[in-house]
Amino acid sequence: LDNADVVAEWAARFVLQRVTQFAPGPGRHFVLGLPTGGTPLGMYRKLIQFYKEGKISFKYVKTFNMDEYVGLPRDHPESYHYYMWNEFFKHVDIEPGNAHVLDGNAPDLVAECQRFEDLIQEAGGVHLFIGGIGPDGHIAFNEPGSSLVSRTRVKTLAYDTLEANKRFFGNDISKVPRQALTVGVGTVMDAKEVMILITGVHKSLALAKAVEEGVNHMWTVSAFQQHAQTLFVCDEDATLELR
Ligand code: F6R
């Protein structure tokens, strides 16, 4: 697609179509996996607009976020919990109990990750997992070298990710949390459908590695070549390195 704005609109329309086609209702929830970061912001804004125009309801939608930093208070402006409530959830009619974000302050982080996996199972699995990728090809916080069958777990962030995310922490890398809870590649691979949003020239090498070379755990997003229904929604800039 031409640019990031068109990607945002396209992605939001795709969600609208999938949710309305499914026709959620009492006891019949559509299950959505969601990312944070800069890339999906435009999509969230469009979805809020569609909600306000009465085109979509989230009353019978359950959401599972990909990841959360370890140790940031919930109300810290850079926590993914805060991001999701501020940028999306509080503007739509989702039931708070249906909006799941990993708790990076849980006393037992390993148990928290298992609880998250169990909740996804109980919800009947994810219908549509939306993701973003880092310039190093990470999906969620599955950094280069992560197992391609990994499940939700505690992960130490790669230096490149700390670098990429320091812009959200006053450009001070020492303020970026060193660890995160993240769904595994296997967790996302279990979704019926996956949509990955990729915009900007800084993601172009990752996109080329994702789709034009072999499946490789050093570019974890490449695992989705082996997923039955994955869509990469990209702008022109992101396609620069494609052959
Ligand atoms: C966010 C996430 C990350 C981001 C990725 C790209 O929940 O899991 O994988 O999608 O780091 O971030 P942006 O969109 O800020 O370039």
Side-chain angles (χ1 to χ4, degrees):
L1 298 167
D2 283 350
N3 56 51
D5 289 342
V6 188
V7 167
E9 166 119 27
W10 200 99
R13 286 195 184 284
F14 190 80
V15 175
L16 172 68
Q17 188 211 47
R18 283 294 187 265
V19 173
T20 45
Q21 246 173 17
F22 182 84
R28 182 181 161 78
H29 288 80
F30 189 85
V31 184
L32 205 48
L34 296 175
T36 59
T39 314
L41 277 174
M43 175 190 75
Y44 289 134
R45 285 185 194 135
K46 267 280 154 201
L47 284 172
I48 294 165
Q49 183 195 320
F50 292 159
Y51 165 70
K52 289 188 171 151
E53 291 167 355
K55 293 181 177 149
I56 189 169
S57 165
F58 295 89
K59 192 162 170 50
Y60 298 106
V61 172
K62 290 187 183 180
T63 62
F64 290 90
N65 262 83
M66 300 197 112
D67 39 20
E68 175 60 289
Y69 287 118
V70 167
L72 272 194
R74 253 169 191 242
D75 56 356
H76 187 289
E78 293 310 329
S79 85
Y80 289 175
H81 187 271
Y82 183 92
Y83 170 112
M84 285 311 298
W85 278 97
N86 222 35
E87 302 293 348
F88 187 49
F89 296 147
K90 78 173 184 196
H91 305 284
V92 298
D93 61 343
I94 193 161
E95 300 283 347
N98 285 339
H100 303 284
V101 182
L102 282 151
D103 180 0
N105 292 296
D108 182 342
L109 295 174
V110 175
E112 169 62 9
C113 292
Q114 186 57 51
R115 188 185 71 90
F116 200 73
E117 287 277 340
D118 293 345
L119 283 170
I120 294 176
Q121 286 285 323
E122 277 165 33
V126 175
H127 292 108
L128 173 64
F129 223 127
I130 304 170
I133 67 166
D136 63 359
H138 70 237
I139 173 141
F141 276 131
N142 294 286
E143 301 287 26
S146 294
S147 158
L148 299 185
V149 294
S150 49
R151 312 302 308 185
T152 305
R153 67 209 184 291
V154 186
K155 202 67 186 145
T156 299
L157 303 184
Y159 184 77
D160 283 354
T161 302
L162 301 179
E163 262 300 321
N165 288 2
K166 73 176 184 193
R167 67 190 196 275
F168 301 118
F169 292 86
N171 255 352
D172 181 352
I173 200 164
S174 72
K175 297 229 162 69
V176 188
R178 293 284 191 271
Q179 287 191 313
L181 305 184
T182 180
V183 293
V185 180
T187 318
V188 185
M189 285 286 284
D190 282 352
K192 289 193 183 68
E193 200 168 14
V194 178
M195 173 168 70
I196 299 170
L197 311 181
I198 311 180
T199 61
V201 70
H202 60 305
K203 307 270 177 84
S204 58
L205 180 64
L207 177 60
K209 295 281 181 186
V211 299
E212 288 186 340
E213 291 189 18
V215 173
N216 181 338
H217 71 156
M218 294 313 286
W219 297 88
T220 54
V221 66
S222 66
F224 291 86
Q225 290 178 28
Q226 295 185 326
H227 186 273
Q229 205 152 331
T230 287
L231 190 63
F232 289 83
V233 188
C234 314
D235 69 353
E236 275 289 328
D237 287 352
T239 62
L240 196 79
E241 298 274 344
L242 295 180
R243 276 186 223 133

